[in-house]
Amino acid sequence: MRKTLSALMLAAMCGLAAPAWAEEAPAAAAVEAAATAEAAAPAEAAPAEAAPAEAAAAPAEEAKPTPPVFNEGNVAWMLVSTAFVLLMSLPGLALFYGGMVRQKNMLSTLTQTFAIFCLIGVLWCVYGYSVAFSGTGPFFGTLDKMFLKGVVYDANGFFTATATFSKGVVIPELLFAVFQMTFACITVALIAGAYAERMKFKAVLIFSVVWFTLSYLPMAHMVWWWAGPDAYTSLDQVDSLNATAGYLWQLGALDFAGGTVVHINAGVAGLVAAIIVGKRSGYGKTSMAPHSLTMSMIGASLLWFGWFGFNAGSNLEANGYAVLAFANTAFATAAAGIAWFFAEWILKGKPSLLGIISGAIAGLVGITPACGFVGINGALVIGLVCGVVCFFSVAYLKKVLGYDDALDAFGVHAVGGIIGAILTGVFVDPAKGGVGVYNNWVELTAGYSSAQIMIQVKAVLIAIVWSAVVSAVTLLALKFTVGLRVTEEQESEGLDVAEHGEKAYN
């Protein structure tokens, strides 16, 4: 997300495109014409000499507003990336989660994912985008952009432009808003993996609305909201402009595509939900094996495919940084998949399909905050570490602590997100192949300090605490009002029939 001097040089070149003589030529012609007219006019015609002076004093015609210029390649790339992220949720996440539950809860899992996506999509349009991406407060935006007011057209009737991460480069703000909508939708849907197979559908929807409003939106604002590169024109402005950004942006936290906003945020909410909702009936005593690993493998593959839009699309431009994010997403994911695969093979005796696809998802999670900041070597290390650590989290930590995170939302997303976020601060170092950190957006010179690691740790801790508090308060309120769990009889029958009156398979 940080750009090199190329954008600044390009802007400078554009500014030099009209040479000085191009402006001087009309002036010289005017002087010459005036001299000719003065020589030809009779001496007694003095009053006529006032005419050229009056013409010169006449105000120039008011310049007409011009529409913003959008690079068609960038717009096309962002349209594709947005569709890719939608594919991650529907059908990617739906099939990945659906295949891992028991057959009697397959339809329920699919319905939860689809319904959450639609619900959050509407709320994003109504107020979500405005709260996340407007204002000057450190934690929340304003309601000035409710119903995407001013996001589609500007005051001149042109499509509204919003900045990318290069000076002078813009995309339609409506495109950015829809792209970010897909992030919000999948984040809330991720949490469902923790409470799968036992939570009331009514409680699922209410919790989704409250958590989206009080946890996702402020985290997105804290991490990703800032004035944009074009606002930074002199060093004197840096501090005042930084003060209008989100809190974690002000701290200098790096999160390219959502390690804190998406994965830690959702994973911690999943852990809290698993604890407060409670274990599934028969957990640890009866078999709860996935009913269709074929479906889960298809879902995981679609997630990997769509994740290229998630990560590389977060660059907002089709340039070298998008390529870097794309490549890191490919290599880190492969490294994590194989790391989990072999760890399981060594410690449990057999490598499993569920293991390698879970490892791949862990790698996708881990590289998300780092993908545009680290080099290929850093991506491989992040992938390997995430694969092994997430395997231990799922296979052993969950048993030791005794919580029932049904589809491992915490073990994969929170743990992988924490690893990726912290290691971003390590491998962004140019000496380790990273792109470096920009101290300001005026000089555009990259540097690095080991203090970045502690900034990343602080961002992680804030994400954990914020999500945990919002989740716990919301779930406890629901527990003592509408209730969280279906009855034991309904759980035994399966949520497909009990909650939706349908079956996935007839």
Side-chain angles (χ1 to χ4, degrees):
M1 294 164 78
R2 303 293 194 263
K3 298 296 175 277
T4 63
L5 284 171
S6 59
L8 189 56
M9 291 171 64
L10 180 60
M13 290 171 65
C14 292
L16 293 173
W21 56 262
E23 296 184 31
E24 292 171 359
V31 171
E32 183 179 353
T36 302
E38 184 177 358
E44 63 270 20
E49 294 178 2
E54 292 175 2
E61 184 179 352
E62 184 177 352
K64 294 182 179 180
T66 57
V69 178
F70 303 121
N71 179 283
E72 293 177 353
N74 290 339
V75 173
W77 168 238
M78 291 308 300
L79 287 170
V80 170
S81 295
T82 301
F84 274 25
V85 183
L86 191 152
L87 184 74
M88 289 173 63
S89 299
L90 308 170
L93 182 66
L95 291 178
F96 180 66
Y97 274 179
M100 289 194 290
V101 298
R102 289 168 288 179
Q103 181 174 314
K104 62 185 179 181
N105 295 311
M106 170 65 162
L107 183 140
S108 169
T109 303
L110 298 178
T111 303
Q112 287 178 4
T113 304
F114 209 105
I116 288 171
F117 196 99
C118 293
L119 176 63
I120 300 305
V122 172
L123 297 181
W124 184 256
C125 177
V126 175
Y127 66 87
Y129 178 74
S130 184
V131 173
F133 293 100
S134 71
T136 57
F139 303 106
F140 291 91
T142 67
L143 296 177
D144 293 344
K145 296 183 180 181
M146 282 187 67
F147 294 98
L148 302 184
K149 178 182 178 182
V151 173
V152 184
Y153 305 113
D154 62 18
N156 296 311
F158 303 130
F159 283 107
T160 304
T162 193
T164 60
F165 299 101
S166 296
K167 287 181 178 291
V169 180
V170 295
I171 60 173
E173 187 172 4
L174 180 61
L175 176 55
F176 176 74
V178 179
F179 179 66
Q180 287 293 337
M181 178 204 76
T182 60
F183 278 58
C185 294
I186 194 171
T187 302
V188 182
L190 286 173
I191 307 170
Y195 55 68
E197 300 194 298
R198 76 266 205 196
M199 192 165 170
K200 286 182 179 180
F201 189 63
K202 181 192 298 184
V204 168
L205 296 182
I206 297 173
F207 171 75
S208 296
V209 171
V210 177
W211 188 88
F212 162 74
T213 304
L214 299 180
S215 191
Y216 182 83
L217 295 181
M219 280 302 304
H221 184 84
M222 281 191 276
V223 173
W224 289 331
W225 176 243
W226 66 307
D230 294 323
Y232 291 77
T233 57
S234 70
L235 292 175
D236 296 337
Q237 297 174 304
V238 172
D239 291 339
S240 60
L241 286 172
N242 286 347
T244 68
Y247 179 67
L248 292 177
W249 184 281
Q250 292 182 39
L251 293 183
L254 302 176
D255 188 349
F256 197 85
T260 50
V261 180
V262 176
H263 298 293
I264 298 174
N265 205 8
V268 169
L271 175 63
V272 174
I275 293 171
I276 294 178
V277 175
K279 301 176 184 178
R280 289 166 289 178
S281 297
Y283 179 73
K285 299 177 182 177
T286 60
S287 175
M288 296 183 178
H291 88 281
S292 178
L293 286 176
T294 303
M295 291 289 188
S296 291
M297 189 273 179
I298 295 171
S301 302
L302 290 169
L303 280 165
W304 192 348
F305 179 84
W307 222 291
F308 289 116
F310 195 88
N311 283 357
S314 291
N315 189 60
L316 306 183
E317 302 171 50
N319 60 19
Y321 285 89
V323 175
L324 178 64
F326 194 105
N328 283 337
T329 301
F331 293 127
T333 305
I338 209 69
W340 185 309
F341 194 62
F342 280 105
E344 184 180 43
W345 198 346
I346 293 168
L347 296 173
K348 293 197 170 184
K350 293 182 180 180
S352 71
L353 174 62
L354 180 60
I356 197 169
I357 63 176
S358 297
I361 301 303
L364 289 166
V365 170
I367 197 60
T368 292
C371 57
F373 297 129
V374 306
I376 299 300
N377 291 341
L380 290 173
V381 172
I382 290 172
L384 291 170
V385 173
C386 282
V388 173
V389 175
C390 289
F391 163 71
F392 277 97
S393 175
V394 169
Y396 300 105
L397 180 63
K398 183 166 65 172
K399 291 181 180 179
V400 170
L401 298 181
Y403 59 86
D404 180 14
D405 179 2
L407 308 181
D408 298 309
F410 174 77
V412 172
H413 292 278
V415 174
I418 291 168
I419 293 169
I422 294 174
L423 290 184
T424 298
V426 176
F427 290 102
V428 70
D429 183 358
K432 298 181 179 67
V435 303
V437 179
Y438 293 123
N439 294 323
N440 62 69
W441 288 80
V442 178
E443 297 173 336
L444 291 176
T445 54
Y448 176 76
S449 168
S450 59
Q452 187 65 45
I453 300 172
M454 291 310 300
I455 293 173
Q456 299 299 110
V457 171
K458 186 171 184 178
V460 166
L461 293 175
I462 290 173
I464 291 172
V465 172
W466 192 290
S467 182
V469 171
V470 171
S471 302
V473 172
T474 304
L475 288 165
L476 288 173
L478 289 174
K479 183 176 182 178
F480 297 107
T481 52
V482 301
L484 288 176
R485 294 189 64 135
V486 297
T487 65
E488 189 170 342
E489 181 181 352
Q490 290 174 319
E491 188 175 343
S492 178
E493 181 183 22
L495 273 61
D496 289 6
V497 174
E499 289 277 90
H500 305 288
E502 298 175 296
K503 292 182 179 181
Y505 309 101
N506 293 305

